[in-house]
Amino acid sequence: MREDVARPPEQTASSQATVTPPAVPRSGNPLRTGMGRNVGLVVALVLLCLVGIVTAGDTFATGANLLTILRLAAVIGVVSIGMTFVITGGGIDLSVGAMVALASVWATTLATQQLATDAHWIFMVSTALVVGAACGLVNGLLVAYGKVVPFIATLAMLAAARGLAEIISDRRTQIISVNGFVDFFGGSLIGVPVLVWIFVLVAAAGWVVLNRTTFGRRTFAVGGNAEAARLAGIKVQRHTVALYVLAGLCCGIAAVMLMARTTTGSSTHGQLYELDAIAAVVIGGTLLSGGRGTIVGTVFGVLIFTTLNNVFTLNNLSISAQSVAKGLIIVIAVLLQQRLAGGDRVSAARTTRP
């Protein structure tokens, strides 16, 4: 008679428990960690500043030039914060520049400015925010419920929003005559321009939302694996719409900042902002495929590109050369992302192998 017909339950449980080894912490290259990437960005920014000091001398290393860099970085920085959320969630938005233009034009029409003069300049701000959020809503609905590829949906919005801005403004620059608006947003607080403070507040709020809230955790989940997120109970379509609305809202804020900086509303505002924003986000360490994003990295990416533009301008280099440099930096950043992501997948496979 066989003595090993049945195995005690304790032995069965024990043998099953030994099949899966305990999780081994991923070691490895510090460059693959968020802190390592941020340190690399800081080093790159410092080196770029040194290049500026060497090539432009005292013209670059002045407080006035620093404030100029920060003021220029503020507008595209706010747009890049919204882009970070969209890309982290697995999407892309090519219409951010056109949305900025449309929001600025709509908020500076004669009718809107007359209402702002009669009531309060906050009416102009509200108009820009509503227009930006509405454009983002359309993008989100097309992507989430219309099943349109994000690239195509936002490309269509790029053309439509820019065209509508040209129709509303009749391709003319609209001058802002509401003094209260210009005085408030064109002023400074403890020596720092209000526009820079707005960028700081938006970046801080973005960091909290992405890293310390349920909304942020769901964004990472949707970007990493939308189907798994759906099975986990996340309303993926609704969340996708919210991401694009958030990006549109950031474009509305950026439009207000650009209106204050130029005292105009124009259909030409926001030209190539989509390139600058995507470049800053990618340089900062956010994966184009989604699932990983960093607000701190995006801020450093914005500062790097703005400083690069400033160095090129001070050295009388052409805008075309700046565009070539941006393109090369984007390609290098994507190649590095693919290399590091590939190394992460190999490391993860090794740690989960029995």
Side-chain angles (χ1 to χ4, degrees), residues 21-347:
V24 179
R26 183 183 302 176
S27 70
N29 193 344
L31 291 177
R32 289 174 185 159
T33 67
M35 182 175 295
R37 285 189 296 270
N38 291 338
V39 170
L41 293 172
V42 171
V43 171
L45 182 59
V46 170
L47 291 176
L48 194 55
C49 290
L50 291 176
V51 171
I53 294 173
V54 170
T55 58
D58 296 337
T59 306
F60 178 85
T62 61
N65 189 56
L66 174 61
L67 290 179
T68 298
I69 292 175
L70 293 177
R71 192 180 293 109
L72 293 174
V75 178
I76 188 60
V78 171
V79 174
S80 299
I81 297 299
M83 185 71 79
T84 301
F85 278 89
V86 171
I87 294 180
T88 302
I92 194 75
D93 194 341
L94 302 179
S95 63
V96 289
M99 288 193 290
V100 169
L102 179 59
S104 74
V105 165
W106 210 314
T108 55
T109 59
L110 291 176
T112 305
Q113 292 197 59
Q114 185 60 50
L115 287 173
T117 302
D118 296 339
H120 195 275
W121 53 260
I122 197 67
F123 190 83
M124 294 174 62
V125 176
S126 301
T127 301
L129 297 183
V130 169
V131 170
C135 291
L137 177 62
V138 173
N139 281 338
L141 291 175
L142 288 175
V143 172
Y145 294 97
K147 304 300 181 183
V148 181
V149 178
F151 181 90
I152 300 300
T154 57
L155 186 63
M157 176 58 71
L158 182 155
R162 186 75 67 181
L164 184 57
E166 291 176 351
I167 292 172
I168 293 174
S169 64
D170 196 23
R171 296 190 176 184
R172 297 177 180 176
T173 299
Q174 300 173 166
I175 307 299
I176 296 177
S177 59
V178 183
N179 294 328
F181 176 88
V182 177
D183 292 340
F184 179 83
F185 289 101
S188 299
L189 181 62
I190 60 173
V192 179
V194 171
L195 299 184
V196 177
W197 285 114
I198 294 175
F199 176 36
V200 171
L201 291 176
V202 172
W207 185 89
V208 171
V209 171
L210 188 62
N211 297 282
R212 293 293 184 268
T213 66
T214 302
F215 183 88
R217 290 191 291 272
R218 288 175 177 174
T219 300
F220 287 118
V222 170
N225 190 323
E227 181 61 21
R230 186 188 66 80
L231 294 176
I234 298 175
K235 298 184 182 301
V236 174
Q237 291 176 313
R238 183 184 301 177
H239 191 83
T240 300
V241 172
L243 289 175
Y244 281 96
V245 171
L246 179 59
L249 185 62
C250 286
C251 289
I253 297 173
V256 172
M257 298 167 69
L258 192 57
M259 288 157 48
R261 200 181 77 194
T262 63
T263 66
T264 63
S266 174
S267 60
T268 61
H269 281 337
Q271 292 282 2
L272 296 181
Y273 270 22
E274 52 277 355
L275 171 63
D276 292 339
I278 293 173
V281 171
V282 172
I283 287 296
T286 297
L287 284 180
L288 276 175
S289 57
R292 189 184 77 194
T294 163
I295 297 296
V296 174
T298 295
V299 171
F300 279 122
V302 169
L303 292 177
I304 287 173
F305 275 107
T306 307
T307 305
L308 178 67
N309 291 342
N310 183 259
V311 171
F312 273 55
T313 301
L314 293 179
N315 286 280
N316 296 321
L317 296 176
S318 67
I319 297 178
S320 300
Q322 296 180 30
S323 300
V324 171
K326 287 181 183 179
L328 291 175
I329 292 174
I330 293 172
V331 170
I332 293 172
V334 172
L335 290 176
L336 287 175
Q337 278 191 0
Q338 292 176 346
R339 181 178 179 84
L340 295 179
D344 285 345
R345 286 192 292 268
V346 171
S347 178

